[in-house]
Amino acid sequence: MERNIELYLRKRKRMQIILLSISLLFYFLLPLSLIFIPDVMNQPSFFYKMPRTWLYAILQIPMTWVFVGIYHIMVTRLERLMRKEELQ
Amino acid sequence: MNPTYFLFLLYIIVCTLIITYWAAKRTKTTPRFYVAAGKLTGYQNGMAIAGDFISAASFLGIIGMVALRGYDGFLYSIGFLVSYIVVLFLIAEPIHRLGKYSLGDVVCARFPDRNMRLMMALGTVIISIFYMIPQLVASGFLLRLLLNLDYSFSVLIVGILMTIYVVTGGMIATSWVQIVKTVLLMSGTFLLTLIVFSHFNWNVEYLIEKVKEGTPFGKDFFLPGHLFANPVEFLSLQLSLVLGTAGLPHILIRLFTVRNTFQVRRSLISSTWIIGSFYSMTLLLGFGTVALLGHEQLNALDPTGNIAAPLLAYTVGGDFLLAFIAAIAFTTIIAVVAGLVIAATTAFSHDIVHHIWKKGRSTEKEQLRAARLSALAIGMISTLFALSLETINVTFLVSITFIVAASSIFPVLLLTIYWKRFTKIGAFTGFATGLLSSLLLVIFGPHVMNPIDGWIREEPLFSLYNPGIISIPLGFCGAIAGSLLSRKRSANEFERFFARAQLGVDAGRDGKWKV
């Protein structure tokens, strides 16, 4: 396999692993925190004194938007680079 | 019969039939029938994906669940939304690059085999029909509630409509019905949210105080545990939800309806914005319901909470708003069932009839005729199922769909795309283990075995309502064990496949890689 193809595959894989691990860690920490530290999660937060677990759950919505946005930007950049190289 | 309700429903039916007539004139070839010839833009497809995904269970169910169960109800929304990260990061682009019309095409790009295609087609049909039945049953109850129509007549109306959309207009009609549904759903939900919020002087603190007064739990309403006493149940539910979408055929085949991977990503990003905004509004509507109606009243009218949204609309806007919200609920149902019919139709006519039965030799005209006949048959079968299941509680079929999809289709797709050592035998064992374990654990679990109101009046043999935490790893274990025990394939072959799936590049005859 050509070296530049291998390089692109490696870059893409690294990006996928990093973004997926962080986002899924953030997601699964919610049910795990309810199992292991329920008292901490049920304490009132600064957000209208609702329990911290609510704040954490609501944060998952912007978290999803941010991660899918970052992924799109990074992959688009990678694809542009590939196409440019092919034209050359 | 209330004329406002009737006129709103009639308006929706006429509008969607006009769309179908317009689409039917354009659906003259198989690519147009199955995937709208890949002509949708990313934003259009994103709206259609949201329309396909937000089912009656989301629109009617989540608002009621938040109102009655608080935090536990909201967790469903979070799982549904975050699942799009898994779809986008892991499988969306490879699926678009490897497949043409169906999930069978994707797996057969690596393992070209008739049995493999048959397995994926059967998985698609089973999951689509499982998901379709509760939607049809819900539509029957909704029309009965609003128009005082007989249950069977209501189901027949929806069954006939969904069949007409797909048989005549294929994917083009289905997509545009879903886009219209998304516009209506988002605008209706936004309007209702504004009206409800205005009842609390646009003050979140006042709304929270009223919620505490409206529920018997008081300030404990905001604590977790009002639906699932067991925290492992939480974890299992979250796992099934986050992986389930990546195995839902009716969502995944929508990735073929755009022309390139840039548009695939744009589709999924726009759908996450729509779905995320929608669930944020349902949270406020759930709070508004319990604050304005009170837990006792809601529970007395419907303990499942499924009519919370129509009740809330009636309370804040009278008959007119109720008719509008009910029409949106009706559109929600028909858009989702049309998406499910087209997914099952593609699997049956393209995979089973064209590739397996006719050995890929049927003409364009024959393929199109087979597709239309398959859509007709699937529409009729699902309607007949829904007609015979009136008295049985089938809402659990929605969560089963996610568990079965995450345990059977998802492991096969993921390992096909990413694991070098994966083999055909591994795909069969993984699929079979995931499907059987998820079905058996549900049958022996409290959804079906329940001494009070279960199908089997016995103590459940398995205690979890959501067995995903067991069945999903079993699906993966079955696939891994089957692969390790079978013969290895050449590594070079996988490298080429992997580069094609990930980057869309392929080696030409001259050995040079091309995008």
Side-chain angles (χ1 to χ4, degrees):
Chain A
M1 197 184 290
E2 278 183 29
R3 266 189 61 201
N4 54 354
I5 300 283
E6 273 178 31
L7 192 75
Y8 284 128
L9 281 175
R10 240 197 334 265
K11 269 188 185 170
R12 197 183 155 93
K13 203 188 226 174
R14 195 173 56 215
M15 182 183 71
Q16 276 173 320
I17 292 172
I18 293 172
L19 288 177
L20 191 72
S21 317
I22 300 173
S23 52
L24 288 187
L25 185 71
F26 188 82
Y27 173 73
F28 280 111
L29 276 178
L30 176 65
L32 289 173
S33 63
L34 288 172
I35 295 175
F36 296 110
I37 45 165
D39 297 336
V40 178
M41 294 306 284
N42 291 337
Q43 292 290 316
S45 68
F46 66 88
F47 186 71
Y48 297 105
K49 291 183 186 153
M50 283 173 87
R52 285 173 185 164
T53 185
W54 269 100
L55 186 64
Y56 193 39
I58 292 169
L59 274 177
Q60 305 263 351
I61 297 175
M63 183 276 291
T64 307
W65 292 336
V66 168
F67 274 92
V68 294
I70 294 173
Y71 177 83
H72 179 53
I73 292 168
M74 289 174 85
V75 176
T76 307
R77 206 174 287 163
L78 198 73
E79 280 182 351
R80 248 183 231 144
L81 211 69
M82 268 179 65
R83 210 159 296 134
K84 215 166 134 187
E85 203 168 281
E86 196 204 20
L87 287 174
Q88 281 166 0
Chain B
M1 188 187 290
N2 186 318
T4 322
Y5 304 160
F6 178 74
L7 285 175
F8 263 106
L9 288 180
L10 193 68
Y11 176 72
I12 297 287
I13 292 172
V14 170
C15 283
T16 51
L17 287 176
I18 291 171
I19 291 172
T20 309
Y21 173 72
W22 166 83
K25 288 202 288 188
R26 284 156 181 78
T27 308
K28 303 285 183 207
T29 61
T30 38
R32 279 172 181 258
F33 185 90
Y34 289 132
V35 291
K39 290 273 173 66
L40 293 184
T41 67
Y43 293 123
Q44 287 168 346
N45 195 34
M47 288 167 82
I49 290 176
D52 215 354
F53 187 72
I54 302 172
S55 65
S58 285
F59 181 52
L60 300 173
I62 300 267
I63 298 176
M65 286 259 261
V66 172
L68 291 172
R69 312 287 180 186
Y71 183 80
D72 296 22
F74 183 57
L75 280 189
Y76 273 95
S77 324
I78 296 301
F80 287 142
L81 177 68
V82 179
S83 66
Y84 278 84
I85 287 187
V86 178
V87 175
L88 177 64
F89 289 9
L90 289 177
I91 60 167
E93 293 155 281
I95 281 183
H96 176 84
R97 288 189 181 114
L98 299 170
K100 192 176 170 195
Y101 300 142
S102 68
L103 296 184
D105 291 338
V106 177
V107 179
C108 287
R110 184 167 174 195
F111 306 116
D113 183 80
R114 286 169 68 190
N115 293 331
M116 186 67 73
R117 199 176 272 282
L118 182 66
M119 176 188 88
M120 293 307 284
L122 287 179
T124 301
V125 172
I126 291 172
I127 288 175
S128 301
I129 291 182
F130 267 9
Y131 205 40
M132 211 179 323
I133 292 168
Q135 307 291 333
L136 286 171
V137 172
S139 72
F141 286 120
L142 185 77
L143 288 187
R144 187 166 72 180
L145 180 81
L146 293 175
L147 300 176
N148 211 13
L149 292 177
D150 180 52
Y151 171 85
S152 311
F153 186 61
S154 311
V155 169
L156 268 179
I157 290 177
V158 178
I160 290 170
L161 276 177
M162 71 176 189
T163 312
I164 290 175
Y165 300 149
V166 181
V167 170
T168 57
M171 183 57 102
I172 301 178
T174 307
S175 302
W176 283 98
V177 167
Q178 287 166 345
I179 292 169
V180 168
K181 169 253 179 105
T182 303
V183 173
L184 273 177
L185 179 74
M186 291 305 284
S187 47
T189 314
F190 185 60
L191 178 72
L192 187 59
T193 309
L194 290 183
I195 297 173
V196 168
F197 209 20
S198 70
H199 276 70
F200 300 95
N201 306 323
W202 312 97
N203 185 339
V204 179
E205 253 169 303
Y206 181 50
L207 170 65
I208 291 173
E209 279 313 308
K210 284 286 172 190
V211 169
K212 287 176 192 166
E213 285 170 24
T215 165
F217 303 117
K219 64 178 173 24
D220 287 350
F221 173 79
F222 292 102
L223 296 179
H226 297 304
L227 184 61
F228 301 119
N230 182 356
V232 178
E233 191 84 64
F234 258 143
L235 186 63
S236 186
L237 172 74
Q238 296 296 84
L239 186 70
S240 311
L241 295 181
V242 83
L243 301 182
T245 309
L248 288 181
H250 69 293
I251 300 295
L252 299 180
I253 62 160
R254 293 223 55 89
L255 303 172
F256 301 127
T257 61
V258 287
R259 67 173 191 278
N260 55 35
T261 47
F262 180 84
Q263 298 297 339
V264 166
R265 295 194 297 275
R266 188 172 266 179
S267 311
L268 290 168
I269 290 172
S270 28
S271 63
T272 55
W273 276 91
I274 296 168
I275 295 166
S277 313
F278 173 76
Y279 286 135
S280 308
M281 291 190 282
T282 56
L283 179 61
L284 273 172
L285 292 178
F287 285 170
T289 308
V290 75
L292 289 169
L293 291 166
H295 181 99
E296 299 305 328
Q297 195 189 340
L298 184 60
N299 204 30
L301 287 167
D302 176 26
T304 61
N306 284 336
I307 57 165
L311 279 176
L312 181 67
Y314 184 72
T315 310
V316 297
D319 256 348
F320 187 82
L321 194 60
L322 169 59
F324 182 47
I325 293 299
I328 290 173
F330 178 73
T331 325
T332 297
I333 293 170
I334 52 175
V336 174
V337 289
L340 292 162
V341 173
I342 190 98
T345 299
T346 308
F348 189 79
S349 61
H350 173 66
D351 288 332
I352 298 180
V353 178
H354 175 61
H355 277 285
I356 298 172
W357 186 22
K358 302 276 183 182
K359 298 189 171 77
R361 287 190 210 118
S362 45
T363 62
E364 176 79 15
K365 207 174 161 189
E366 285 169 342
Q367 282 185 58
L368 202 58
R369 198 176 56 212
R372 292 191 201 279
L373 286 174
S374 308
L376 185 68
I378 286 162
M380 279 167 60
I381 292 168
S382 316
T383 310
L384 287 176
F385 266 124
L387 285 174
S388 58
L389 292 172
E390 180 190 355
T391 51
I392 298 167
N393 182 0
V394 288
T395 45
F396 72 94
L397 284 178
V398 175
S399 49
I400 289 184
T401 309
F402 274 78
I403 296 163
V404 172
S407 312
S408 57
I409 301 239
F410 177 63
V412 172
L413 283 177
L414 189 76
L415 297 175
T416 299
I417 297 167
Y418 289 95
W419 194 30
K420 196 190 283 186
R421 184 68 181 81
F422 195 44
T423 64
K424 211 156 62 177
I425 305 290
F428 285 125
T429 51
F431 182 85
T433 321
L435 181 71
L436 288 176
S437 61
S438 50
L439 288 178
L440 286 175
L441 289 171
V442 169
I443 291 168
F444 294 126
H447 276 306
V448 177
M449 290 182 82
N450 192 326
I452 303 161
D453 57 354
W455 288 10
I456 304 168
R457 302 283 162 99
E458 299 278 341
E459 283 297 329
L461 299 175
F462 181 73
S463 65
L464 291 178
Y465 281 91
N466 296 285
I469 202 162
I470 309 286
S471 65
I472 297 170
L474 276 178
F476 276 99
C477 288
I480 292 167
S483 299
L484 294 178
L485 294 173
S486 56
R487 213 164 48 154
K488 222 168 148 179
R489 283 165 69 100
S490 118
N492 283 345
E493 216 173 295
F494 178 75
E495 276 181 1
R496 279 188 62 173
F497 169 83
F498 191 66
R500 190 178 145 210
Q502 295 296 317
L503 301 176
V505 293
D506 215 342
R509 282 185 188 166
D510 53 359
K512 288 202 169 175
W513 290 84
K514 286 192 177 77
V515 178

